[in-house]
């Protein structure tokens, strides 16, 4: 598609979101990326948190981490470019050892993935022998390798229920775990790491064991924010991601994964919607559905997702950088946990 055609396509969607001067520049970049993508037999996967000009121009598939993991598992391309963060690119590599997986910005991490190590999981397994470990996909490969099964925010409840186990270790997101515990009627404890020992009140009755990891974006939304927005917009429908605190989720009208939130907005009609998640997703919904009145709290941004740009994606394809590798013994163990999740849905 020549740059002019790409510009026209992007203009149709983004005319109210991206000013023309930037749109022309970005259409040129997107055109170069799409040509190189064909030349190099690559597929581009784009997470829902990508900025609108990237999201609506270069990905072959856009969606949440579960959908993109599924697409990664199905691709027959030589190269997978992951416009998302490192743990997502690692998941693509776990599923595709024979393909080159590229992440456009090597520093695109995640506070949840950083919150737990494989040694921490081994310590938990030692303290709670025989208890199955469910690990959120927002973790690095070596942590997945210590797990029985992975989950996403879209299937966490189903995954926990599928284990039919009286107790489950659920890592590392404190808030997602607490939201799942509430939904499944389980009582959850959060052991703390003392001098190489896990400490918790042993007199408590519990069915879930959590960890104190948090998403640095979603933890910032508060019930006070919700109250203030409802006061100004009494007819607003508030949607929160399950990485938000249980109090915020309880004060919202709907909570779900990024894809579930998009689908909710598509099938409903409200005078205003407020999304409590990465701000770029609101821009992407406005571009696709200009008739939906979106409110956003954009002072809270994900510093990792925002590192992925069209410029770096072009460089990634030109220079074959940054290649994501996972040591084979780790990959094989992590693969079991990821495949078990994909089989559940
Ligand atoms: S939004 Fe939160 S969970 Fe997602 S990549 Fe950023 S820090 Fe990680």
């Amino acid at each position: 598609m020549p740059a002019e055609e790409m510009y026209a396509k992007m203009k149709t969607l983004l005319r109210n979101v991206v000013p023309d001067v930037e749109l022309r520049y970005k259409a040129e970049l997107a055109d170069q990326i799409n040509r190189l993508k064909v030349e190099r037999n690559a597929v581009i996967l784009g997470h829902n948190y990508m900025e609108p000009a990237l999201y609506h121009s270069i990905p072959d598939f856009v969606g949440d981490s579960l959908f993109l993991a599924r697409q990664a598992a199905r691709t027959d391309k030589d190269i997978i470019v992951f416009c998302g963060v490192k743990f997502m690119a690692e998941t693509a590599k776990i599923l595709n050892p024979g393909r080159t997986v590229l992440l456009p910005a090597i520093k695109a991490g995640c506070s949840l993935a950083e919150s737990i190590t494989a040694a921490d999981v081994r310590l938990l397994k030692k303290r709670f022998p025989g208890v199955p470990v469910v690990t959120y996909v927002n973790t690095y490969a070596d942590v997945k390798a210590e797990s029985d099964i992975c989950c996403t925010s879209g299937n966490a409840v189903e995954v926990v229920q599928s284990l039919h186990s009286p107790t489950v270790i659920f890592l590392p997101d404190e808030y997602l775990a607490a939201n799942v515990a509430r939904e499944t009627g389980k009582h959850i404890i959060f052991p703390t790491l003392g001098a190489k020992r896990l400490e918790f009140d042993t007199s408590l009755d519990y069915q879930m064991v959590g960890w104190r990891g948090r998403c640095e974006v979603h933890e910032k939304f508060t019930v006070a924010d919700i109250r203030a927005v409802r006061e100004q917009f009494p007819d607003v429908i508030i949607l929160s991601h399950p990485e938000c605190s249980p109090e915020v989720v309880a004060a919202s009208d709907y909570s779900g994964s990024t894809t579930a939130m998009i689908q909710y907005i598509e099938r409903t009609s409200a005078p205003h919607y407020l999304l409590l998640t990465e701000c770029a997703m609101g821009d992407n919904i406005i571009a696709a559905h200009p008739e939906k009145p979106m409110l956003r709290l954009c002072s809270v941004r994900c510093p990792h997702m925002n590192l992925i740009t069209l410029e770096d994606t072009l460089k990634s394809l030109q220079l074959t950088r940054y290649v994501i590798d996972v040591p084979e013994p780790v990959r094989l163990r992590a693969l079991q946990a990821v495949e078990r999740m994909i089989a559940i849905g």
Side-chain angles (χ1 to χ4, degrees):
M1 185 185 287
E4 204 50 41
E5 263 183 64
M6 175 54 76
Y7 165 74
K9 181 193 153 201
M10 287 169 76
K11 173 112 180 145
T12 310
L13 280 169
L14 301 170
R15 63 187 179 284
N16 295 325
V17 182
V18 185
D20 224 37
V21 56
E22 182 158 303
L23 207 53
R24 282 208 175 270
Y25 165 71
K26 294 201 167 175
E28 179 64 44
L29 281 171
D31 180 54
Q32 287 182 56
I33 291 167
N34 283 340
R35 285 165 195 268
L36 207 50
K37 181 170 71 174
V38 175
E39 257 172 54
R40 302 215 56 196
N41 195 29
V43 62
I44 298 183
L45 306 178
H47 189 266
N48 287 329
Y49 292 163
M50 291 296 101
E51 62 107 356
L54 186 156
Y55 181 89
H56 287 290
S57 63
I58 58 167
D60 299 281
F61 300 99
V62 288
D64 60 14
S65 40
L66 177 60
F67 176 77
L68 296 178
R70 286 220 180 89
Q71 298 310 319
R74 282 185 198 139
T75 190
D76 59 356
K77 303 289 186 191
D78 297 329
I79 298 176
I80 299 169
V81 182
F82 217 116
C83 291
V85 293
K86 189 176 170 201
F87 73 80
M88 297 177 181
E90 272 192 356
T91 305
K93 185 66 185 178
I94 288 165
L95 291 160
N96 287 281
R99 301 185 205 287
T100 301
V101 176
L102 302 177
L103 182 67
I106 197 61
K107 289 193 176 152
C110 169
S111 63
L112 278 171
E114 298 294 335
S115 72
I116 191 160
T117 65
D120 293 331
V121 187
R122 285 194 289 273
L123 209 57
L124 281 157
K125 290 200 291 190
K126 208 165 152 196
R127 181 62 190 79
F128 302 96
V131 177
V133 178
V134 179
T135 296
Y136 193 26
V137 282
N138 298 34
T139 47
Y140 292 126
D142 56 346
V143 167
K144 290 187 175 76
E146 296 293 340
S147 315
D148 295 284
I149 185 165
C150 288
C151 74
T152 67
S153 57
N155 64 15
V157 169
E158 255 180 298
V159 165
V160 167
Q161 286 171 338
S162 77
L163 294 170
H164 302 292
S165 172
T167 317
V168 169
I169 298 172
F170 190 103
L171 309 169
D173 186 347
E174 172 185 346
Y175 287 161
L176 178 63
N179 285 318
V180 171
R182 191 177 38 88
E183 223 173 311
T184 54
K186 296 182 188 292
H187 184 248
I188 186 163
I189 54 161
F190 293 93
T192 50
L193 195 53
K196 299 209 169 184
R197 279 188 59 232
L198 288 164
E199 289 158 7
F200 62 97
D201 183 349
T202 48
S203 67
L204 289 175
D205 179 36
Y206 61 89
Q207 299 85 40
M208 273 177 82
V209 178
W211 191 252
R212 299 260 187 218
R214 287 190 192 173
C215 162
E216 67 190 275
V217 177
H218 294 101
E219 72 169 348
K220 293 201 179 85
F221 298 118
T222 64
V223 174
D225 292 333
I226 293 181
R227 267 195 222 113
V229 174
R230 286 203 196 278
E231 210 166 290
Q232 191 182 352
F233 302 95
D235 48 11
V236 68
I237 296 285
I238 298 184
L239 296 93
S240 60
H241 192 278
E243 287 167 14
C244 294
S245 74
E247 295 76 25
V248 164
V249 167
S252 306
D253 299 293
Y254 179 80
S255 178
S257 68
T258 53
T259 297
M261 284 196 269
I262 293 169
Q263 288 169 348
Y264 180 96
I265 291 169
E266 283 173 346
R267 69 171 184 265
T268 59
S269 173
H272 295 98
Y273 294 96
L274 172 72
L275 281 181
L276 297 180
T277 194
E278 216 307 310
C279 188
M281 200 170 102
D283 288 334
N284 293 331
I285 295 174
I286 289 170
H289 304 285
E291 76 286 2
K292 304 275 179 184
M294 305 295 304
L295 302 167
R296 282 151 297 140
L297 301 181
C298 286
S299 52
V300 181
R301 303 303 301 253
C302 175
H304 311 285
M305 291 286 184
N306 279 284
L307 288 177
I308 306 295
T309 61
L310 283 166
E311 288 87 343
D312 283 338
T313 308
L314 179 59
K315 282 265 178 274
S316 179
L317 273 167
Q318 285 169 334
L319 305 175
T320 316
R321 79 176 193 193
Y322 296 92
V323 176
I324 299 299
D325 273 320
V326 177
E328 189 59 5
V330 172
R331 188 192 73 79
L332 285 173
R333 290 168 59 215
L335 180 65
Q336 290 181 25
V338 173
E339 281 186 331
R340 257 184 102 183
M341 170 191 77
I342 289 178
I344 284 183

